[in-house]
Amino acid sequence: MATPRFWREIPSRYNLIGTKCGSCGTLDFPPRAVCPKCGRKSVGKMMKQKLSGIGTIISYTIVYDAPSSFDLLKPYVLAVIELKEGARLTSQIINVEPGDVKIGMRVEAVFRKLGQEGEAGILQYGYKFKPVTGQGKSPATA
Amino acid sequence: MRGVAIIGVGETQFGELWDRSFRDLGIEAGLKAIEDAHIRAEDIDALYIGNMSAGKFIEQEHVSAIVADYAGLADSHLPTTRVEGGGACGALALLQAYAAIASGLHDIVVVGGAEKMTDVGEVKAAEILSATADQEWETVFGATFPALYAIMARRHMYEYGTTREQLAAVAVKNHRHGALNPVAQYQKEITMEMVLNAGMVADPLGVFDCAPLSDGAAAIVMCSLDRARKFCETPVELIASGQASDTIALHDRRDLTTMDATVVAGKRAFHRAGLTPADVDVAEVHDNFTISEIMAIEDLRFVKKGQGGPATEDGETALNSKISVNTSGGLKARGQPVGATGVAQAIEIVRQLRGEGGKRQVTDAEVGLTHTLGGTGATAVVHIFRRVR
Amino acid sequence: MVAGIVSYGGYVPRYRITPKEIGNVWGVDGEAMGRSLGITAKSVPSPDEDVITISVEAARACLRKVDVAPTDIGAIYVGSESHPYAVKPTATVVAEAIGSTPVMTAADFEFACKAGTAAIQACMGLTLSDMIKYGMAVGSDTSQGAPGDALEFSASAGGAALLIGKENLIAEINHTVSYTTDTPDFWRREGQQYPSHGGRFTGEPAYFKHVMSCAKLLMEKAKSKPEDYNYAVFHQPNGKFPVKVGRTLGFEDKQLDAGMLVRSIGNTYSGAVLLGLCSILDRAVPGDRIFMVGYGSGAGSDAFDITVTSNIKKLKHAETIEEMTRDAKFLDYGTYAKFRGKLRMRGD
């Protein structure tokens, strides 16, 4: 992904900045210019809002075949997460054994490297999620 | 609006066609369709080409002009248009042609669909396919195309108790059908054990839950219904189409286990056709993954929501059962040259309604349906066809 | 007016490898190596972790404990010898990720293992001179030892962030002194993947000379003795050096134990002495006095005399370093080599 294209979205990728509709109060992530519920009424009333980063797994998969840029992470868990504010997003789940992931598991956002633009290009950072401490841990293996 | 009929069809072999170029494939399918329709090149008013990503697969855009040029039609200066809508582009090209004829803009139109996918490696090809999902908010975070469908599958299992075996039953059935289709990429039956024991791509979807990467092209000649008999003894009428869209990202959908775009496109098509799902004898649905067919037959109301798995397992969607689904082998066995898919699906329905289905003929097929998806369901197109008596 | 610590936070990656596992690959008695280094395991970053992510996690952990507006942080300095970029700061990513941008200053520091303590001193100067309200000093590393090198048994990953200011201090920094010479005991040339070191030259003329000299300077300045402190933490390249230096100076082992994270997570370089301090602050009570001496090859030491205040009780509850390091997952050498980029991959 080209540098300016990634850079443009840094506020949402680093800090989960979404929008709140000034008309109906619905929270959207990523930011939207028009509220899907209110349509034209919302234009000009969409306010930036930071989301909590706390959510629940709605569904997930364990990815075995992935682009070469994900070679070091395979297999990795990818999930659709519903944040407690209601908005949903897609993210990797880390710090957990793939077999321990469950629908309904509570997760929280952490800051990780998402990728890089080749060996000499920029590094891309953003959110991944990990289980909220105290659940879904597997015993340490030696 | 005037009636629209299909008067000629043609397609290439589907598969890994190392010695064939994009141009070769497009021309072969087009010439076969023109020959089948008994028309002359100068009869053609316009050309619509469904193609998803020639720019990424073969680094060539503007493929509509190329196909016309290499079909020897450059001197006719035909209007040619490429149509893109992810995996639904072939079905959308068909819809454009349908609208052009129904409105009276054109009389005879050729619709082509083509994709040359094997000139790039498998990993690269998978990346290109995933570009129909949301690049900014899905794929950047590690979403692959199979991963997104696996997320739907997992939720479907969670909500409706759908099993791995039921998913596998889709692949087994479609390979059984594909074995009867001489242009299919895989003309070989597979067993439930093979599907279940195959390596994982994105849990719970294994290698045999995914349609292959393919080269291939398909073409159709269409004209107004009133002139159809002049060219063709067995015209098939395209009686209605429905198209719908939804959020680009899977996570923004109302329900991960229902494709609302399919539901709405289906309702629109059935409403326009004055038919119900029960009237359909044969359907080609978008089985790019096994879960896709299960969701499609539910969302098109062939079975109740949540019953797609059991219905497939019980054989209700097999050839000449309750409703014959994917008699061509589907994307799973016939192959998945993306741009060709929607057109190839329509060709299978035309063959069935003409009674040219050979060993896979659906008995007394009167009404057929195609269902094609773009992305993870951000676009859905449904066409309904009927045999002209 | 004194400057001090307003909040603190640390981060240690989840993965570990044992000296035994490393030794098995290189034909070395890894267990004996571990015993002689005083290390039972070292932390390993996941492929999606680097100094930037570790610094951000530490900075966020630091801010979670207090109600400080990120925009009141006027300076962020990140000390590391393994910044992911040779050119382009780690500190700007940290600043953006905690919401401190844009009216602030930021820079990356490098002084081998003591870049983090140098950042503390810089932040102290800026706050004491009223140039900024708060400064954030981060020390963080994902250090590498060349495969098979003795350093590979100890070089680990982790980091910590300290919020420095003049108000609402949980700990006052009573004194700080530094001791610096040109001593090339450990280095990494531009473009080299792995550092080089002078073997036993890193000991007496380097670590011990600088740490001892700096510690003595601090006690002279503070007019203090080892028994005046509840805790002492020294830079810990292994489990032996800080104990030896502590005992020589007259500290008892019980003063050292709380800060000796090296034993379970290895040498986190720029993060080491700061993580040790975090671990001490996790259990400190008002009035506790802490003696801290960092060391960076090349070479220099920064020493700090710190007194914990009653405000430490007001910090919001957050995961302690001990809790964070409990959920460890041990790797085999193959996975470790993959994670650390030691395998030559096909270029795309």
Side-chain angles (χ1 to χ4, degrees), chain A residues 42-53:
Chain A
S42 66
V43 174
K45 292 184 192 160
M46 301 297 280
M47 298 165 295
K48 292 273 163 66
Q49 179 156 330
K50 186 173 172 15
L51 302 176
S52 64

Side-chain angles (χ1 to χ4, degrees), chain A residues 10-11 14-15 50 68-69 71-74 92 94-97 109-114 121-125 128 130 133 137-142, chain C residues 11 14-15 46-50 52-54 56-57 60 84-85 92-93 96-99 319 323 326-331 338-339 341 345-346 348:
Chain A
I10 277 178
Y14 286 11
N15 283 318
K50 186 173 172 15
S68 50
S69 51
D71 274 349
L72 297 180
L73 298 171
K74 290 187 299 190
Q92 286 174 45
I94 55 163
N95 277 17
V96 65
E97 299 310 301
V110 293
F111 192 85
R112 292 292 177 119
K113 185 174 158 186
L114 297 178
I122 64 145
L123 303 169
Q124 300 161 339
Y125 297 93
K128 291 188 181 184
K130 65 167 188 177
T133 310
K137 272 183 202 166
S138 65
T141 48
Chain C
Y11 181 82
R14 176 185 185 225
Y15 296 102
S46 162
D48 59 2
E49 291 183 301
D50 59 21
I52 288 180
T53 66
I54 289 170
V56 169
E57 288 293 341
R60 285 182 173 173
Y85 287 100
T92 54
V93 184
E96 198 76 46
I98 63 171
E319 196 175 33
E323 286 164 351
R326 218 180 276 157
D327 176 31
K329 181 173 163 58
F330 285 80
L331 303 176
K338 181 179 86 164
F339 277 18
M345 309 283 284
R346 187 192 58 212
D348 278 313

Side-chain angles (χ1 to χ4, degrees), chain B residues 307-363:
Chain B
Q307 291 303 302
T312 305
E313 200 170 34
D314 295 346
E316 291 178 27
T317 54
L319 180 62
N320 280 319
S321 58
K322 199 169 154 197
I323 174 169
S324 303
V325 175
N326 284 331
T327 52
S328 68
L331 280 65
K332 177 72 200 77
R334 183 189 56 225
Q336 182 192 209
V338 181
T341 290
V343 182
Q345 289 175 315
I347 291 177
E348 176 66 11
I349 297 300
V350 168
R351 292 239 163 85
Q352 290 287 353
L353 300 185
R354 282 177 177 179
E356 297 170 359
K359 288 180 186 166
R360 62 183 196 282
Q361 178 63 47
V362 175
T363 313

Side-chain angles (χ1 to χ4, degrees), chain A residues 2-137:
Chain A
T3 302
R5 191 172 158 201
F6 194 90
W7 165 80
R8 221 171 273 136
E9 309 295 345
I10 277 178
S12 294
R13 297 230 170 90
Y14 286 11
N15 283 318
L16 288 165
I17 302 298
T19 44
K20 182 176 184 175
C21 173
S23 186
C24 73
T26 300
L27 277 156
D28 273 299
F29 183 86
R32 286 179 183 263
V34 181
C35 172
K37 287 186 181 158
C38 301
R40 230 178 57 188
K41 269 199 301 185
S42 66
V43 174
K45 292 184 192 160
M46 301 297 280
M47 298 165 295
K48 292 273 163 66
Q49 179 156 330
K50 186 173 172 15
L51 302 176
S52 64
I54 305 284
T56 305
I57 294 177
I58 301 298
S59 187
Y60 69 95
T61 178
I62 306 161
V63 182
Y64 291 88
D65 273 11
S68 50
S69 51
F70 292 92
D71 274 349
L72 297 180
L73 298 171
K74 290 187 299 190
Y76 59 89
V77 179
L78 186 83
V80 167
I81 296 158
E82 183 166 301
L83 299 174
K84 68 180 185 189
E85 293 90 345
R88 289 185 177 188
L89 51 75
T90 299
S91 175
Q92 286 174 45
I93 308 294
I94 55 163
N95 277 17
V96 65
E97 299 310 301
D100 291 343
V101 177
K102 298 273 182 295
I103 289 175
M105 184 179 252
R106 289 181 62 232
V107 290
E108 60 186 328
V110 293
F111 192 85
R112 292 292 177 119
K113 185 174 158 186
L114 297 178
Q116 59 184 21
E117 234 193 306
E119 279 304 308
I122 64 145
L123 303 169
Q124 300 161 339
Y125 297 93
Y127 54 80
K128 291 188 181 184
F129 282 70
K130 65 167 188 177
V132 169
T133 310
Q135 45 144 28
K137 272 183 202 166

Side-chain angles (χ1 to χ4, degrees), chain B residues 98-361:
Chain B
Y98 170 67
I101 296 169
S103 68
L105 178 65
H106 296 307
D107 288 323
I108 296 180
V109 176
V110 175
V111 181
E115 209 78 53
K116 175 72 194 174
M117 299 168 75
T118 60
D119 281 352
V120 297
E122 301 96 281
V123 174
K124 180 74 185 164
E127 274 188 70
I128 295 171
L129 287 176
S130 75
T132 62
D134 188 335
Q135 291 286 89
E136 299 281 359
W137 302 105
E138 292 183 317
T139 50
V140 162
F141 294 91
T144 64
F145 214 45
L148 294 167
Y149 277 88
I151 284 173
M152 295 185 227
R154 171 99 50 201
R155 188 73 198 182
H156 205 279
M157 291 167 137
Y158 178 80
E159 287 191 23
Y160 300 109
T162 304
T163 64
R164 274 275 286 142
E165 287 75 10
Q166 290 167 352
L167 294 174
V170 172
V172 172
K173 167 184 73 79
N174 290 352
H175 270 260
R176 198 163 63 234
H177 293 173
L180 306 175
N181 182 355
V183 303
Q185 181 162 357
Y186 299 122
Q187 298 172 38
K188 196 173 85 177
E189 295 200 22
I190 55 172
T191 64
M192 176 73 72
E193 286 66 38
M194 287 166 75
V195 184
L196 296 178
N197 293 334
M200 276 293 164
V201 173
D203 195 348
L205 301 180
V207 173
F208 280 102
D209 288 283
C210 308
L213 303 168
S214 322
D215 305 323
I220 280 177
V221 182
M222 300 165 80
C223 78
S224 59
L225 184 61
D226 52 0
R227 293 179 66 196
R229 289 274 185 204
K230 192 178 147 199
F231 301 103
C232 175
E233 286 174 16
T234 53
V236 167
E237 185 181 1
L238 173 48
I239 54 175
S241 295
Q243 180 189 347
S245 61
D246 204 342
T247 63
I248 185 75
L250 175 67
H251 56 240
D252 283 328
R253 305 276 165 76
R254 181 186 61 80
D255 173 7
L256 295 182
T257 63
T258 302
M259 289 197 191
D260 283 346
T262 297
V263 173
V264 173
K267 277 185 184 164
R268 285 175 182 160
F270 281 118
H271 176 73
R272 286 168 190 156
L275 295 172
T276 69
D279 296 318
V280 177
D281 301 303
V282 54
E284 288 283 301
V285 307
H286 201 92
D287 60 328
N288 53 345
F289 299 96
T290 49
I291 183 63
S292 317
E293 179 169 320
I294 285 176
M295 287 168 66
I297 60 175
E298 293 172 352
D299 296 342
L300 291 166
R301 305 286 188 260
F302 292 138
V303 299
K304 282 195 184 128
K305 192 72 215 168
Q307 291 303 302
T312 305
E313 200 170 34
D314 295 346
E316 291 178 27
T317 54
L319 180 62
N320 280 319
S321 58
K322 199 169 154 197
I323 174 169
S324 303
V325 175
N326 284 331
T327 52
S328 68
L331 280 65
K332 177 72 200 77
R334 183 189 56 225
Q336 182 192 209
V338 181
T341 290
V343 182
Q345 289 175 315
I347 291 177
E348 176 66 11
I349 297 300
V350 168
R351 292 239 163 85
Q352 290 287 353
L353 300 185
R354 282 177 177 179
E356 297 170 359
K359 288 180 186 166
R360 62 183 196 282
Q361 178 63 47

